[in-house]
Amino acid sequence: MSTLHTVNKSPFTHTTLLSCLQICGEDDGILLLEDGVFGAIKSSPCSEQLSIIMQKGIKIYALMGDVKARGLQEKLHPDIHITDYNGFVQLSIEHRCVQSWY
Amino acid sequence: MTTNNKSITCKKLLFISRHAPYGTSLAKEALDAILAASAYDQNLSLLFMDDGVFQLLSAQDPSDLEQKNFAAMLPVLALYEIENIYVHFESLQARQITINELILDGVQVIDSKTICSLLTQQDQLLSF
Amino acid sequence: MQLLIGTQAVELDKEGFLKQLTDWNEEVAIKIAQQEHIQLTAAHWEIIELLRKFYQLYELSPSMRALVKHTEQTLGAEKGRSVYLLQLFPPSPAKLACKIAGLPKPLNCI
């Protein structure tokens, strides 16, 4: 797999996730962490684009600790994969490069 | 991961500069990092996208801020033989910046799709 | 570290670069060069002047490679060679010439 994109900004205040979605390729993965996990909820301004991207087979992950801390467990988009720090490490290994969007 | 000799001695590094100058030090750090990296004979590229494209405006004059002028510093990239310089087309478009307003003559304007494949060709991405 | 010019003291960092770039003048350059065992000639001054203009323009101290290239573009191929610069400012031309020209230490000079 080619690039793992990490996003740590909320799409409600930043265009970071949108920029990431613009250039994300089909072999890529996206990991939402810190305030980036607000991008994983159903009411996110990028929710529709996220659905389109996930239909293409691009996997989107959200970091469990950050989701839980913000109380977003019940608000998540159903197709988002939940992962933890071990998963984060695994994803970093599986992808050729990591691009952090911040 | 490949372990042949070539990939060890000469790596393809893409520096991605996505932040505007002056407000934070990120833009300057990207420039310092790529100039420093040029000492190691790697294959270097630089991409400006999002607010990073504001670094290229030729009308910049930060003398009142007592900061260094980006428009003055960027042409130095050619002296360091950093010739792969890219600007994201959609970022320019969103900000209504035309290529005539940019400081670098040698920049290549590329769209999102091209950036997507540019990323897949790199050994390492450095985000600023 | 201090450099004494007559009765005036100029502050240097531990590697001998000027702490205040505005402290530079020709006398300071001559003094710094002496400490590096370099007797400044017209050929040296030509490079010093070139470096000061480079800094004014780009607000950066050039690396060796950039200095060679810039010298070539400005003063021609004869002088734009590392051997020429090495003769003038041995053993580390970019670093020494910047020091004498009152510029900060080049960023990628290891």
Side-chain angles (χ1 to χ4, degrees):
Chain A
M1 282 179 276
S2 44
T3 309
L4 175 68
H5 302 267
T6 65
V7 178
N8 75 341
K9 294 282 188 294
S10 163
F12 292 93
T13 45
H14 292 79
T15 53
T16 315
L17 178 56
L18 208 59
S19 298
C20 166
L21 295 176
Q22 258 188 311
I23 69 160
C24 181
E26 290 188 11
D27 289 331
D28 294 355
I30 301 175
L31 173 69
L32 304 171
L33 71 163
E34 300 169 17
D35 283 349
V37 297
F38 290 115
I41 65 177
K42 280 176 276 192
S43 57
S44 147
C46 296
S47 189
E48 215 168 293
Q49 286 103 316
L50 238 59
S51 297
I52 297 170
I53 284 234
M54 286 190 284
Q55 272 161 23
K56 285 191 198 164
I58 295 172
K59 286 206 169 139
I60 302 183
Y61 305 84
L63 208 58
M64 159 108 94
D66 288 322
V67 170
K68 235 170 69 180
R70 290 162 180 78
L72 306 177
Q73 301 92 312
E74 302 302 319
K75 294 178 184 293
L76 294 181
H77 193 295
D79 299 329
I80 301 265
H81 299 262
I82 293 294
T83 189
D84 55 14
Y85 275 102
N86 287 331
F88 186 178
V89 173
Q90 193 58 39
L91 286 170
S92 316
I93 297 166
E94 284 168 8
H95 291 78
R96 182 176 157 89
C97 289
V98 179
Q99 155 65 3
S100 53
W101 299 85
Y102 61 92
Chain B
M1 223 179 270
T2 50
T3 49
N4 64 60
N5 233 358
K6 193 167 180 279
S7 73
I8 292 169
T9 54
C10 183
K11 292 219 173 204
K12 290 191 82 166
L13 309 183
L14 175 65
F15 292 71
I16 303 176
S17 190
R18 292 181 42 249
H19 292 87
Y22 314 119
T24 68
S25 61
L26 280 164
K28 179 68 169 56
E29 284 165 20
L31 194 63
D32 288 347
I34 196 165
L35 292 177
S38 75
Y40 299 96
D41 282 318
Q42 306 293 306
N43 184 330
L44 306 180
S45 306
L46 176 58
L47 165 66
F48 294 97
M49 73 176 288
D50 296 336
D51 280 350
V53 301
F54 284 125
Q55 296 172 45
L56 300 174
L57 283 181
S58 55
Q60 293 171 81
D61 177 9
S63 50
D64 290 351
L65 309 181
E66 293 183 12
Q67 289 201 46
K68 293 184 178 188
N69 190 342
F70 265 82
M73 280 189 288
L74 288 169
V76 89
L77 291 169
L79 286 179
Y80 284 76
E81 286 159 17
I82 298 157
E83 280 147 6
N84 305 321
I85 302 169
Y86 305 98
V87 186
H88 182 218
F89 172 70
E90 284 85 344
S91 299
L92 290 176
Q93 210 180 26
R95 290 158 184 80
Q96 299 188 15
I97 297 171
T98 63
I99 187 104
N100 307 331
E101 296 176 82
L102 305 183
I103 187 72
L104 298 176
D105 297 330
V107 294
Q108 301 176 52
V109 180
I110 57 176
D111 63 8
S112 300
K113 232 178 140 179
T114 317
I115 290 182
C116 178
S117 66
L118 183 70
L119 255 56
T120 65
Q121 296 158 20
Q122 308 300 318
D123 293 307
Q124 196 82 50
L125 304 172
L126 295 102
S127 321
F128 293 91
Chain C
M1 240 171 32
Q2 279 189 338
L3 192 68
L4 278 173
I5 311 282
T7 54
Q8 197 202 339
V10 174
E11 290 289 326
L12 303 176
D13 70 12
K14 56 181 189 289
E15 287 186 83
F17 287 83
L18 287 182
K19 276 193 178 166
Q20 294 292 327
L21 304 188
T22 46
D23 280 345
W24 190 89
N25 57 43
E26 292 191 358
E27 237 179 307
V28 171
I30 294 167
K31 261 275 164 41
I32 297 176
Q34 271 171 7
Q35 291 190 334
E36 302 289 345
H37 314 290
I38 293 171
Q39 190 73 40
L40 296 182
T41 66
H44 292 93
W45 286 111
E46 189 177 42
I47 300 298
I48 291 168
E49 200 180 312
L50 170 133
L51 269 174
R52 292 191 60 84
K53 279 189 185 152
F54 182 97
Y55 190 77
Q56 261 176 16
L57 200 61
Y58 299 123
E59 306 190 19
L60 275 172
S61 297
S63 66
M64 185 56 192
R65 190 195 301 205
L67 175 60
V68 172
K69 202 162 176 179
H70 182 67
T71 307
E72 185 195 344
Q73 285 171 2
T74 323
L75 302 175
E78 194 58 36
K79 291 172 179 169
R81 291 180 303 136
S82 43
V83 185
Y84 177 78
L85 296 167
L86 197 62
Q87 275 170 353
L88 294 176
F89 300 98
S92 179
K95 191 175 160 187
L96 277 183
C98 283
K99 194 187 277 187
I100 296 167
L103 270 48
K105 187 182 169 190
L107 177 82
N108 39 0
C109 208
I110 309 136

